[in-house]
């Protein structure tokens, strides 16, 4: 396990130029839509992480499986890298194009192929929007559970690539828990079907391997998702606290009592005030923190759970506890939470959205740590958390026009993620690694682990043509970043270049 | 993806004999317990699948991590295959030794290293018994959820290797849903830590890949499991049906209503009568089938759920519905189910226990299919199912002393598994593939899929020294077995030997 992998980036791999590549593709897929004029490429230069922008060599927008297969075979033959793009809402630059690569845009694969209400499954193409699945299932009283904030726009293929979560993933799981099967096309143009409707599958769990693989193992061409019955009733309890750490501890108390809320969210004072000012949700603007706890299920269960949660919140020292009186008030409570990011955007010229995950019990300590870092760097932080599952979204407020503030912000962001790793957490909750967090991967994993990731990658894509330079850093990058343990001046892998 | 892998079996790979190997191991691990006398090896010749028996070249019983590392390095150097064995309760021959291989017995790794009741996790060595974890957690009101029938004896390391389930996995998931991290030693003697306490982990999901990998990717040396709070209340409803298919349909109705029972089990008349005769559980011996539905949680929830389930069972045509009046009666109802296998053993000289999984909606049709096969082969079948998750355990009754009956039984078993695959299910629910179901893997997967499994295997164990000849068949075996599609007399991979 001491092989060395270089990072294949723009310009290092091209064996054909744009014209030759285009000709080769047209020869085998004459009807495939290809874009190559600058004004047509421009809309695809970045995804939701606009800090990185690259124009791809070529954009391909296939309409059929056969076109994808043909395209992959041509790219494989000519050693051209392929970046697959869903709706482009990703926040970590996972769909950032390569200058010498093809950007495969899956937006035309947007049909719901089958919706079996009895079996409670939907078979959909990857370009189908997350919310569109729930809308199609609604007449049957069903819905698709994972609900990232971008669910109006994001596509299910991208959800699989990033293993997307959302407000309700505490109770209903991440994408990995709600997908039964995927169809893929490999870089060599072969079709594979991974997973099944059965509970378990023999052999290795390649389906789980695909979840969160960020386009590095194959092109997703179909997704079979599990649908759930819509809960009969949903109630929201809002609790105020005069101390952030106490709110953090209350989260642990609720879970420890064996109660699994549909959603359990936390906002600190800065986030509360920004949201209240923006959408008038009815939040207590003087509270140091609020918890929003949604309980859903059948009527009798929800009633009993609300009483239990109220008791736990009182015991945890909540200064005020309010049960949304009707569905309109419940929606208002959530509207504030869902608008928290844009709301913070109104009180600061810029903000940097972090995404880390920690064991729930570490919540009070990490909140304290963020407070200390905030003072150290002189930067305000608004905290908005999927508290129930320990997924933090600290928003660092800064002004990109103030000299040095961006750099200070990035440095502080890195410290927050390191803090997450230190307490046993991870550098991403639901936004993925993409291009953005390659360096942080070096803090999270050691050289042997990263080598193993590359070996698994090679099992699917030996030439490393699928989305190179994302998700998994090279050992060279980690050595350069300085996060790797260097013993007596020796690099762990002597064959590494010394720069 | 057209590489070819041969099956490495006994005698094909040895580069050292027993004496030389032993000397090499003793040189680096002088205190490691090694067994090599026939009478010492005999107890390890098989696991729970006694149809296959092989004496290993050497048994190693390490007590320390360092001993495992040293052992692996020696085996790697000398190209000696390693089969890891937990408690040996597996039913598919996954721990079957190799004549020219080392059997690594993990029974001395039997300590609970940490039990954090607040964080609700336990860190244990792989040789710890499944039930011992729940026993250790009981004083804190916690337990470990997956409960295979062998839970008194089976070890958590084996549970990970087989992705074990149990009666309660419908609600609480398989092993993969209840393990947070594993430590492993690779075939090259390197330590790795996979997973974390955080909800999601960046990079590829190698933890999920390890679940059910049957000892082919690495040696598990530590497991961090999630503990759950013991449900406040558990109630069992028993419903009788005068028609097996109607009972099968009732299962779907309960799940479709959004109710998730702690356990939902089904037994047919033959199984009912055998169990009643054996343990006097209070079963209706004239019923064509019974359903046992356990509802657990907090008092108010369970009460409401029982009423709903009763209504659904009535609507589904149950002829009798009984709620266990107290915990003693509940235990009796379960005792019958848990004793079903040995009970069937009392009414037939031999039985063959199948393990397949199907989409729940296919339950009525597959039950019908098994009935037809039973008539066709002239063999009785007792059906005992984890009905809620579509995991079937048909027991084929036969007499091994009657000429041809064993062969007829195996043939019929194969047909049942093919039926499972045909309806979108899989050839194993919780017993694994091991040595037993290599041929059935050829029905389940095509050549590209099997090639991909081998490629993933190679990422961890390029020389294929870990548990060779289990879990993943070679393409040659599949071609021989005849399950692979042969187009116009051409094998899919021309480089395959033609025998």
């Amino acid at each position: 396990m001491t092989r060395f992998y270089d990072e294949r980036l723009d310009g290092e791999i091209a064996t054909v130029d744009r014209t030759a590549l285009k000709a080769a593709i047209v020869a085998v897929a004459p009807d495939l839509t290809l874009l190559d004029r600058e004004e047509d490429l421009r809309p695809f230069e970045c995804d939701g992480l606009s800090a990185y922008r690259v124009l791809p060599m070529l954009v391909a927008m296939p309409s059929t499986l056969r076109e994808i297969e043909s395209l992959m075979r041509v790219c494989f033959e000519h050693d051209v890298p392929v970046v697959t793009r869903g709706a482009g809402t990703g926040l970590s630059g996972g769909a950032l194009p390569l200058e010498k690569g093809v950007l495969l845009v899956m937006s035309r694969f947007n049909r719901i192929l089958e919706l079996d209400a009895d079996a409670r499954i939907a078979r959909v193409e990857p370009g189908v929007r997350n919310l569109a699945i729930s809308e199609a299932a609604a007449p049957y009283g069903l819905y698709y559970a994972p609900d990232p904030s971008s669910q109006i726009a994001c596509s299910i293929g991208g959800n699989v690539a990033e293993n997307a979560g959302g407000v309700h993933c505490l109770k209903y799981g991440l994408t990995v828990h709600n997908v039964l099967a995927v169809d893929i096309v490999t870089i060599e143009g072969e079709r594979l079907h991974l997973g099944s409707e059965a509970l378990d599958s023999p052999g290795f769990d390649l389906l789980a391997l695909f979840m969160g693989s960020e386009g590095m193992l194959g092109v997703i061409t179909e997704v079979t998702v599990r649908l759930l019955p819509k809960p009969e009733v949903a109630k929201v309890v809002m609790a105020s606290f005069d101390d952030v750490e106490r709110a953090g501890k209350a989260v642990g108390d609720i879970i420890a009592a064996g109660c699994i809320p549909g959603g359990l969210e936390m906002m600190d004072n800065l986030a509360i005030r920004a949201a209240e000012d923006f959408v008038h949700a009815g939040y207590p603007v003087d509270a140091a923190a609020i918890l929003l706890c949604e309980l859903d299920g059948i009527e009798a269960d929800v009633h009993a759970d609300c009483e239990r949660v109220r008791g736990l919140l009182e015991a945890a020292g909540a200064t005020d506890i309010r049960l949304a009186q009707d569905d309109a008030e419940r929606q208002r409570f959530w509207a504030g939470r869902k608008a928290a990011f844009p709301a913070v955007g109104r009180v600061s010229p810029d903000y940097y959205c972090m995404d880390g995950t920690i064991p729930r019990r570490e919540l009070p300590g990490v909140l304290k740590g963020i407070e200390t870092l905030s003072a150290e760097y002189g930067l305000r932080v608004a905290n908005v958390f999927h508290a129930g599952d320990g997924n933090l979204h600290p928003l660092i407020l800064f002004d990109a026009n103030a000299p040095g503030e961006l750099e200070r912000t990035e440095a502080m962001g890195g410290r927050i993620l390191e803090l997450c790793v230190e307490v046993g957490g991870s550098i991403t909750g639901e936004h993925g690694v993409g291009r953005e967090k390659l360096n942080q991967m070096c803090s999270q994993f050691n050289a042997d682990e990263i080598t193993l990731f590359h070996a698994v990658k090679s099992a699917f894509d030996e030439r490393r043509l699928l989305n190179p330079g994302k998700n998994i850093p090279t050992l060279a990058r980690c050595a350069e970043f300085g996060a790797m343990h260097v013993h007596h001046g020796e690099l762990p892998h002597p064959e590494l270049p010394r720069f």
Side-chain angles (χ1 to χ4, degrees), chain A:
Chain A
M1 303 230 302
T2 48
R3 280 157 287 176
F4 171 70
Y5 298 88
D6 66 316
E7 220 156 80
R8 308 189 74 166
L9 290 174
D10 307 350
E12 292 175 22
I13 28 182
T15 61
V16 286
D17 66 6
R18 183 182 296 178
T19 314
L21 177 64
K22 210 176 145 182
I25 296 171
V26 169
V28 291
D31 298 326
L32 172 57
T33 303
L34 294 174
L35 309 176
D36 65 349
R37 290 184 312 175
E38 195 191 322
E39 63 265 38
D40 294 334
L41 299 177
R42 190 61 65 194
F44 300 102
E45 67 180 352
C46 68
D47 59 13
L49 180 75
S50 54
Y52 298 87
R53 292 166 192 271
V54 175
L55 281 188
M57 177 157 71
L58 210 59
V59 165
M61 300 182 78
S63 304
T64 67
L65 259 184
R66 196 172 291 269
E67 285 176 349
I68 297 176
E69 289 165 355
S70 302
L71 175 69
M72 299 304 270
R73 286 203 195 101
V74 170
C75 290
F76 182 71
E77 254 169 50
H78 294 85
D79 228 12
V80 173
V82 177
V83 178
T84 309
R85 177 187 166 106
T89 56
L91 293 169
S92 57
L96 185 72
L98 294 171
E99 204 185 311
K100 296 280 168 64
V102 168
L103 186 73
L104 172 56
V105 176
M106 295 297 290
S107 54
R108 291 185 181 169
F109 277 75
N110 60 357
R111 290 170 307 166
I112 293 177
L113 301 171
E114 185 192 355
L115 199 154
D116 184 332
D118 289 332
R120 289 205 263 143
I121 57 164
R123 214 158 48 77
V124 305
E125 291 183 333
V128 171
R129 289 175 305 111
N130 174 298
L131 193 62
I133 302 175
S134 291
E135 285 167 353
Y140 308 99
L142 300 171
Y143 78 116
Y144 175 66
D147 56 346
S149 300
S150 57
Q151 71 176 138
I152 300 172
C154 66
S155 66
I156 189 73
N159 288 181
V160 169
E162 300 292 339
N163 193 16
V167 167
H168 290 89
C169 68
L170 169 62
K171 183 166 182 177
Y172 299 105
L174 302 165
T175 304
V176 67
H177 305 109
N178 291 276
V179 167
L180 296 167
V182 294
D183 287 300
I184 62 164
V185 172
T186 68
I187 184 63
E188 293 172 54
E190 284 168 352
R191 294 186 202 187
L192 292 174
H193 178 79
L194 307 178
S196 81
E197 278 181 61
L199 187 68
D200 191 19
S201 196
F204 301 126
D205 193 349
L206 303 184
L207 179 64
L209 201 58
F210 250 78
M211 303 294 132
S213 60
E214 304 197 0
M216 297 187 82
L217 304 182
V219 177
I220 297 156
T221 57
E222 193 178 304
V223 184
T224 304
V225 301
R226 185 197 309 280
L227 302 173
L228 297 181
K230 261 193 250 184
E232 212 172 81
V233 184
K235 299 266 185 201
V236 170
V237 177
M238 177 168 67
S240 311
F241 289 84
D242 56 14
D243 177 85
V244 177
E245 285 173 68
R246 206 168 290 148
K249 203 191 152 300
V251 169
D253 294 345
I254 291 171
I255 306 291
C259 187
I260 305 191
L264 182 50
E265 300 281 314
M266 182 170 161
M267 295 165 71
D268 71 2
N269 182 265
L270 187 49
I272 294 168
R273 278 187 290 124
E276 182 59 21
D277 195 47
F278 186 28
V279 299
H280 313 294
Y283 290 168
V285 290
D286 295 328
I290 57 170
L291 287 184
L292 291 171
C293 179
E294 178 158 303
L295 298 156
D296 60 7
I298 63 170
E299 182 90 48
D301 292 5
V302 172
H303 181 75
D305 287 344
C306 281
E307 287 314 299
R308 282 177 91 212
V309 164
R310 183 189 289 273
L312 291 165
L313 289 167
E314 272 167 11
T319 53
D320 186 41
I321 299 170
R322 281 162 54 193
L323 177 69
Q325 288 309 302
D326 51 29
D327 212 57
E329 191 174 19
R330 185 178 78 89
Q331 299 286 3
R332 268 203 306 283
F333 282 0
W334 279 123
R337 164 62 187 87
K338 287 185 181 165
F341 287 17
V344 168
R346 294 169 78 233
V347 302
S348 170
D350 301 281
Y351 69 84
Y352 185 48
C353 171
M354 312 292 302
D355 170 46
T357 312
I358 57 170
R360 206 158 32 224
R361 62 177 157 173
E362 304 289 349
L363 207 49
V366 170
L367 283 169
K368 190 93 198 159
I370 292 175
E371 211 179 297
T372 308
L373 287 170
S374 172
E376 184 182 331
Y377 283 85
L379 292 166
R380 290 185 301 164
V381 177
N383 282 302
V384 183
F385 296 171
H386 302 309
D389 41 277
N391 186 189
L392 317 180
H393 290 313
L395 305 175
I396 307 175
L397 279 53
F398 72 104
D399 180 352
N401 289 325
E405 272 210 8
L406 174 60
E407 292 70 24
R408 232 163 59 237
T409 300
E410 286 179 338
M412 178 176 164
R415 292 279 298 276
I416 291 178
L417 293 181
E418 281 162 25
L419 183 59
C420 291
V421 174
E422 270 164 36
V423 300
S426 91
I427 58 161
T428 169
E430 51 190 12
H431 297 174
V433 176
R435 183 66 152 259
E436 185 195 22
K437 288 185 181 169
L438 276 177
N439 288 346
Q440 275 75 30
M441 286 291 280
C442 309
S443 315
Q444 179 102 50
F445 298 102
N446 67 30
D448 286 335
E449 290 163 337
I450 285 171
T451 302
L452 191 51
F453 283 141
H454 284 293
V456 170
K457 158 79 168 167
S458 289
F460 289 82
D461 173 22
E462 210 164 3
R463 297 195 199 163
R464 304 191 307 288
L465 293 171
L466 288 167
N467 213 9
K470 314 278 174 67
N471 198 4
I472 313 293
T474 59
L475 293 179
R477 172 184 281 268
C478 287
E480 186 172 27
F481 178 62
M484 282 203 168
H485 182 72
V486 177
H487 186 65
H488 293 307
E490 289 292 336
L491 283 165
H493 295 274
E495 73 274 32
L496 278 181
R498 295 301 185 101
F499 313 106

